[in-house]
Amino acid sequence: MRLGVLALQGAFIEHEQALNRLGADFFEIRQLADLERQSAATGAGFEGLIIPGGESTVQGKLLQDLGLFQPIRELILGGLPVFGTCAGLLLLAEQISNDQRRHLATMHITAVRNAYGRQLGSFYTEQEFKGLGKIPMTFIRAPYIASVGDNVEILAKVDGKIVAAREDKQLVCAFHPELNNSPEYNDAVHAYFLRMINE
Ligand code: GLN
């Protein structure tokens, strides 16, 4: 199995480390040529995409400037499994309630950006994730999901706010699973995504 990791900005290296720990192969997407080379080399292309945390506005602009926006959007709409964390969630959200901008907008969720205010900008908690039990959750200037469409499955909530969800082959987390690598945790959310790809 080979995954593409969007490597324009933000915490992509930590995702790559999680994939390494799970023994999954990946390549970095920094420009259009990376996508094209991958499709040409393997014919089938690749099996999944990770969009990391960082700044959604910066990543959104770079996707446009680099000509990656349409090809990536079409791959996702065509069924390529995608996993977005934090800013990645914002890039996939159909709506952002407190921002005019919308980006790839492939997932039927409405997100609230920088939703926890200044004081609670960053925090750590351990909460239930559907099917995985209690897992560590690190939030950094995170969004949450205010509402979801009919086909969206809610996977985790913190203080009543939705922080993880899935729609078909799209998975999003408001927190940063790639920043937790204790042996007890064992990259459970990344492993969940790899199972989603194989379903
Ligand atoms: N606040 C960032 C944004 O709006 C997201 C933060 C993160 O990815 N850790 O894009």
Side-chain angles (χ1 to χ4, degrees), residues 32-48:
L32 190 54
D34 297 326
L35 265 191
E36 292 169 345
R37 201 177 307 121
Q38 187 59 28
S39 313
T42 65
F46 52 104
E47 282 75 50

Side-chain angles (χ1 to χ4, degrees), residues 53-56 86-87 90 113-114 140-141 176:
E55 266 315 306
S56 54
C86 202
L90 291 161
R113 197 174 166 222
N114 297 330
I140 303 170
R141 295 183 58 239
H176 287 268

Side-chain angles (χ1 to χ4, degrees), residues 114-178:
N114 297 330
Y116 297 91
R118 271 175 167 257
Q119 310 305 326
L120 283 176
S122 301
F123 62 99
Y124 173 86
T125 183
E126 291 176 10
Q127 300 287 331
E128 217 44 46
F129 187 108
K130 194 171 176 187
L132 302 181
K134 268 202 175 182
I135 61 161
M137 298 183 182
T138 300
F139 291 81
I140 303 170
R141 295 183 58 239
Y144 63 70
I145 300 170
S147 63
V148 301
D150 290 343
N151 294 321
V152 178
E153 183 184 11
I154 295 168
L155 297 172
K157 285 186 179 185
V158 170
D159 295 335
K161 312 282 197 225
I162 304 165
V163 297
R166 172 182 178 176
E167 179 176 24
D168 297 326
K169 295 282 183 183
Q170 302 187 66
L171 173 69
V172 290
C173 291
F175 55 94
H176 287 268
E178 75 283 8

Side-chain angles (χ1 to χ4, degrees), residues 54-141:
E55 266 315 306
S56 54
T57 51
V58 175
Q59 290 191 47
K61 182 167 188 314
L62 286 169
L63 282 173
Q64 295 279 8
D65 293 352
L66 295 165
L68 282 164
F69 184 91
Q70 274 312 328
I72 286 186
R73 186 162 194 275
E74 277 160 27
L75 285 169
I76 297 169
L77 291 174
L80 179 73
V82 61
F83 176 24
T85 58
C86 202
L89 177 156
L90 291 161
L91 287 170
L92 293 170
E94 186 183 41
Q95 304 266 10
I96 303 174
S97 67
N98 56 347
D99 197 322
Q100 300 286 347
R101 278 166 288 217
R102 72 195 44 140
H103 305 283
L104 297 163
T106 51
M107 185 165 174
H108 295 102
I109 56 174
T110 299
V112 186
R113 197 174 166 222
N114 297 330
Y116 297 91
R118 271 175 167 257
Q119 310 305 326
L120 283 176
S122 301
F123 62 99
Y124 173 86
T125 183
E126 291 176 10
Q127 300 287 331
E128 217 44 46
F129 187 108
K130 194 171 176 187
L132 302 181
K134 268 202 175 182
I135 61 161
M137 298 183 182
T138 300
F139 291 81
I140 303 170
R141 295 183 58 239

Side-chain angles (χ1 to χ4, degrees), residues 2-6 25-29 34-35 38 46:
R2 191 157 165 82
L3 284 87
V5 178
L6 191 65
D25 191 19
F26 63 86
F27 68 103
E28 292 185 346
I29 302 170
D34 297 326
L35 265 191
Q38 187 59 28
F46 52 104

